[in-house]
């Protein structure tokens, strides 16, 4: 990662001119031929600017066309049409879900963006029984899956913190949140996929059928196929949630308590940690929606000038189980070493808790603060390195409050399937760390360039100190960096690319493969 936005500007100009000004003459012929394809949906060739942006607001790559698919066949027909033009066509295809990527990963400079949310969503099919599941479109939002499955008293096991994302989008990465320690990421809870490969084939796959493609696509960054349907494992859904927040001043106690909680059989149902740097009035901010355990004691708590660590936990329950829930929560809290006056809790419905970030989104949109640059950095750190990392990053590099949450919580490696494409640290417990910054101003302490510089300092320190960092939602600029990311798994990743997308048509925004460099080599 570079310490300036200048390289990204240069990259943008390179792609913009390559994609618009100097598109290969054969590609112009292909684009013209797209109008003749027998489709249930349609192409847009002029109103395509929305598909050139994403949540990160750091990259703008204009596509040549946007496909609004009327069926899965439309996606297969389009990809196959480009594939049959061979390696001389430079056209690429990107599947765009809710556009929540950070660095243009859902964009295709001078290529075709598929608007997955336009894919008609056949009625979701919820199957109850001993091993319940739901079949849903790859373009369906997780919040809609939650509402539909909840009608049957069921819900998916693993979530992301924000539910207004598409199934295909999160499954192409991993899908992580506070339930990951118990159920693994979302990709560990998939029974079956329907995928359109880079050859334009529609393939149904699972761990038993076409298993190589199945595992390749899960966490595969869109490199092997477009997920058009997923079969998601379900579990009985609780009606209510006890939502708890406590504070720590000691990093060691904070991390050890989290590690203990994710390793015990009877624990909370959701566990996430946050780092809070020089934030005043923390508990006062909580009072609008949380209740202090001891109002008088908590009113005397002072947080100024300290780095604090928040542990956020939930316990699921149904109303008739409230007494048992209270006892279980108290037993667990007794084991923790938090600052006593900082204990706050509230009771909300299960859906309200899972969709909690959306309420913040509504407020930010009203203030014009949602569609700003988001120079996020998401990394995974081995347990053995977390204290070295924390001492440097939270003690020295980040000297002031971050303009956005800093997440830090551990997960269990055995909940992750090593056959998928996701790369994780090689330790039994590792930490998910997210610096979720917003950069609403063009200059000043929260500018894009300032935040990118901080991100770069964090990565440079981690590299020099041998922290063993792996990026989540990875972003690299060179093939050498990608090889270093995948390490020994690069050969498998490359083999799968050659098998399922040999012309490197799919997901060009990831920057892993370039069509001009074919045939791919190790």
């Amino acid at each position: 990662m570079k310490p300036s936005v200048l390289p990204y500007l240069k990259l943008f100009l390179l792609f913009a001119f390559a994609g618009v000004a100097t598109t290969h003459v054969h590609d112009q012929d292909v684009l013209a031929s797209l109008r003749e394809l027998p489709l249930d949906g349609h192409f847009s060739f002029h109103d395509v600017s929305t598909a050139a942006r994403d949540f990160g607001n750091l990259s703008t790559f204009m596509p040549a066309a946007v496909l609004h698919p009327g069926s899965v066949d439309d996606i297969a027909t389009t990809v196959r049409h480009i594939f049959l033009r061979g390696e001389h066509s430079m056209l690429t295809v990107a599947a765009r879900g809710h556009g929540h990527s950070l660095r243009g990963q859902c964009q295709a400079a001078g290529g075709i963006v598929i608007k997955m949310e336009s894919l008609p969503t056949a009625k979701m099919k919820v199957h109850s029984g001993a091993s319940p599941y739901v079949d849903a479109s790859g373009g369906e939002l997780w919040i809609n899956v939650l509402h539909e499955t909840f009608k049957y008293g069921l819900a998916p096991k693993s979530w992301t913190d924000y539910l207004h994302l598409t199934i295909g989008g999160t499954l192409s990465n991993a899908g992580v949140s506070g339930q990951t320690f118990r159920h693994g990421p979302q990709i560990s809870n998939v029974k079956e996929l329907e995928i359109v490969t880079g050859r334009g084939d529609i393939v149904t796959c699972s761990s038993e059928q076409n298993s190589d493609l199945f595992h390749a696509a899960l966490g595969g960054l869109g490199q092997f196929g477009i997920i058009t349907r997923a079969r998601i494992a379900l579990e009985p859904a609780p009606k209510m949630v006890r939502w708890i927040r406590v504070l720590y001043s000691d990093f060691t106690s904070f991390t050890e308590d989290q590690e203990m909680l994710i390793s015990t059989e009877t624990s909370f149902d959701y566990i996430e940690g946050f780092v809070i740097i020089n934030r005043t009035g923390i508990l006062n901010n909580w009072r609008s929606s949380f209740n202090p355990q001891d109002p008088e004691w908590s009113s005397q708590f002072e947080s100024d000038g300290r780095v604090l660590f928040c542990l956020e936990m939930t316990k699921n329950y149904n109303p008739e189980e409230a007494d048992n829930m209270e006892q279980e929560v108290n037993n667990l809290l007794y084991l923790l070493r938090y600052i006593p006056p900082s204990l706050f809790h509230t009771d909300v419905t299960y859906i309200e808790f899972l969709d909690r970030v959306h309420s913040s989104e509504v407020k930010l949109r009203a203030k014009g603060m949602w569609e700003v640059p988001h120079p996020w950095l998401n990394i995974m750190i081995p347990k053995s390195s977390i204290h070295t990392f924390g001492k440097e990053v939270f003690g020295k590099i980040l000297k002031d409050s971050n303009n956005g949450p800093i997440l830090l919580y551990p997960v269990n490696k055995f909940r992750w399937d090593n056959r998928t494409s996701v790369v994780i640290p090689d330790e039994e417990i590792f930490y998910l760390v997210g610096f979720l910054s917003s950069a609403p101003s063009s200059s000043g302490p929260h500018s894009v360039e300032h935040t990118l510089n901080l991100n770069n300092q964090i990565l440079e320190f981690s590299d020099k100190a041998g922290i063993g960092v792996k990026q989540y939602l990875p972003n690299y600029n060179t093939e050498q960096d990608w090889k270093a990311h995948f390490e020994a798994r690069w050969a498998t990743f490359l083999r799968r690319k050659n098998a399922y997308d040999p012309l490197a048509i799919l997901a060009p925004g990831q920057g892993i493969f370039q069509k001009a460099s074919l045939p791919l080599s190790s």
Side-chain angles (χ1 to χ4, degrees):
M1 185 179 294
K2 303 295 183 182
S4 167
V5 295
L6 185 58
Y8 300 104
L9 177 61
K10 291 179 179 178
L11 190 62
F12 161 69
L13 293 173
L14 174 65
F15 273 99
F17 284 113
V20 178
T22 60
T23 300
H24 198 286
V25 64
H26 293 301
D27 288 341
Q28 296 293 349
D29 294 338
V30 175
L31 286 172
S33 68
L34 294 176
R35 301 177 187 273
E36 308 301 322
L37 292 178
L39 301 177
D40 299 307
H42 68 280
F43 279 99
S44 294
F45 294 94
H46 304 294
D47 185 19
V48 298
S49 59
T50 301
R53 299 192 300 271
D54 62 15
F55 178 73
N57 263 309
L58 299 170
S59 308
T60 305
F61 300 144
M62 197 69 69
V66 174
L67 172 63
H68 305 263
S71 63
V72 174
D73 284 341
D74 284 1
I75 299 174
T77 297
T78 300
V79 174
R80 188 181 309 114
H81 185 71
I82 296 170
F83 175 75
L84 291 175
R85 292 306 183 272
E87 61 188 52
H88 298 296
S89 167
M90 295 303 295
L91 277 184
T92 55
V93 175
R96 175 188 174 88
H98 208 51
H100 210 74
S101 63
L102 301 173
R103 299 279 187 165
Q105 289 95 335
C106 66
Q107 300 173 35
I112 298 169
V113 171
I114 300 176
K115 193 174 182 345
M116 294 299 293
E117 286 184 283
S118 296
L119 189 64
T121 53
K123 182 174 175 58
M124 277 182 272
K125 297 179 180 178
V126 178
H127 299 260
S128 55
S131 300
Y133 63 86
V134 59
D135 278 317
S137 164
E140 189 65 83
L141 297 181
W142 283 100
I143 183 64
N144 296 334
V145 174
L146 173 60
H147 283 300
E148 182 64 24
T149 58
F150 200 75
K151 295 175 184 176
Y152 299 81
L154 300 167
K157 300 175 181 180
S158 190
W159 297 97
T160 53
D161 287 326
Y162 180 60
L163 303 192
H164 295 250
L165 305 171
T166 59
I167 289 175
T170 66
L171 296 185
S172 293
N173 289 283
V176 296
S177 186
Q179 304 88 2
T180 302
F181 79 94
R182 171 168 289 171
H183 297 294
Q186 290 183 313
I187 58 172
S188 293
N189 297 276
V190 180
K191 293 175 175 286
E192 184 178 283
L193 295 173
E194 178 186 77
I195 293 173
V196 175
T197 72
R199 299 174 182 270
D201 299 324
I202 302 174
V203 181
T204 298
C205 53
S206 66
S207 57
E208 292 80 31
Q209 177 186 9
N210 299 310
S211 61
D212 186 61
L213 176 58
F214 177 72
H215 293 118
L218 293 171
L221 306 175
Q223 292 300 305
F224 313 109
I226 298 168
I227 296 173
T228 54
R229 180 182 60 81
R231 179 168 290 179
I232 310 296
L234 304 176
E235 66 175 359
K239 291 183 173 64
M240 299 296 296
V241 164
R242 169 65 56 89
W243 187 0
I244 304 160
R245 286 177 177 171
V246 295
L247 290 176
Y248 291 74
S249 58
D250 177 64
F251 189 65
T252 298
S253 298
F254 171 66
T255 52
E256 287 180 354
D257 279 3
Q258 287 193 83
E259 291 163 14
M260 179 272 294
L261 287 174
I262 72 164
S263 302
T264 57
E265 187 172 340
T266 301
S267 186
F268 291 101
D269 296 296
Y270 160 98
I271 298 169
E272 283 195 10
F274 300 83
V275 182
I276 303 169
I277 301 175
N278 290 344
R279 288 274 176 90
T280 59
I282 299 167
L283 302 191
N284 287 333
N285 292 336
W286 292 354
R287 290 177 196 277
S288 61
S289 53
F290 287 81
N291 304 310
Q293 185 81 356
D294 188 322
E296 184 176 353
W297 201 4
S298 67
S299 66
Q300 300 171 13
F301 179 81
E302 294 291 336
S303 61
D304 294 3
R306 285 194 281 174
V307 177
L308 294 172
F309 309 96
C310 171
L311 182 53
E312 185 172 57
M313 305 154 289
T314 69
K315 193 68 175 176
N316 301 336
Y317 69 98
N318 292 315
E320 64 274 15
E321 304 162 345
D323 290 343
N324 288 338
M325 177 274 295
E326 291 273 6
Q327 186 61 52
E328 289 180 11
V329 165
N330 289 334
N331 291 342
L332 288 166
L333 289 175
Y334 179 77
L335 301 174
L336 306 181
R337 294 168 287 175
Y338 59 89
I339 303 169
S342 70
L343 175 57
F344 276 61
H345 64 83
T346 188
D347 291 271
V348 296
T349 67
Y350 188 56
I351 290 180
E352 284 175 327
F353 172 72
L354 290 178
D355 201 28
R356 64 198 178 281
V357 176
H358 183 58
S359 60
S360 299
E361 175 191 352
V362 172
K363 295 175 184 176
L364 289 171
R365 283 190 183 278
K367 298 177 181 178
M369 295 290 289
W370 183 259
E371 294 181 355
V372 299
H374 295 96
W376 288 6
L377 174 64
N378 293 276
I379 53 182
M380 296 179 280
I381 300 176
K383 170 187 168 181
S384 62
S385 301
I386 196 63
H387 291 280
T388 302
F389 178 88
K391 183 177 180 180
E392 177 72 18
V393 173
F394 307 126
K396 298 179 182 178
I397 295 177
L398 299 180
K399 298 181 179 65
D400 202 352
S401 61
N402 220 41
N403 199 33
I406 302 175
L407 309 183
L408 189 151
Y409 58 96
V411 294
N412 295 303
K413 178 186 175 185
F414 75 90
R415 301 291 187 188
W416 297 62
D417 190 333
N418 63 10
R419 295 172 294 179
T420 68
S421 293
V422 174
V423 179
I424 60 176
D426 189 21
E427 285 191 14
E428 289 309 311
I429 291 178
F430 61 92
Y431 279 78
L432 297 168
V433 184
F435 301 90
L436 310 186
S437 304
S438 298
S441 58
S442 57
S443 60
H446 300 307
S447 69
V448 171
E449 185 160 5
H450 174 73
T451 306
L452 288 174
N453 282 336
L454 289 176
N455 291 349
N456 187 62
Q457 289 179 48
I458 292 169
L459 290 173
E460 283 188 347
F461 160 74
S462 298
D463 184 51
K464 291 178 181 177
I467 297 295
V469 161
K470 287 298 179 184
Q471 285 196 32
Y472 177 67
L473 309 176
N475 173 67
Y476 297 105
N477 296 321
T478 69
E479 183 177 299
Q480 182 179 355
D481 287 336
W482 281 109
K483 286 183 177 180
H485 172 73
F486 285 103
E487 295 184 295
R489 303 182 67 182
W490 174 252
T492 298
F493 198 83
L494 187 65
R495 175 188 62 75
R496 287 170 164 174
K497 185 68 172 178
N498 276 307
Y500 305 116
D501 183 26
L503 297 186
I505 290 170
L506 302 176
Q510 294 284 357
I512 307 175
F513 302 104
Q514 295 182 16
K515 231 177 164 186
S517 67
L518 295 174
L520 304 177
S521 63
S522 59

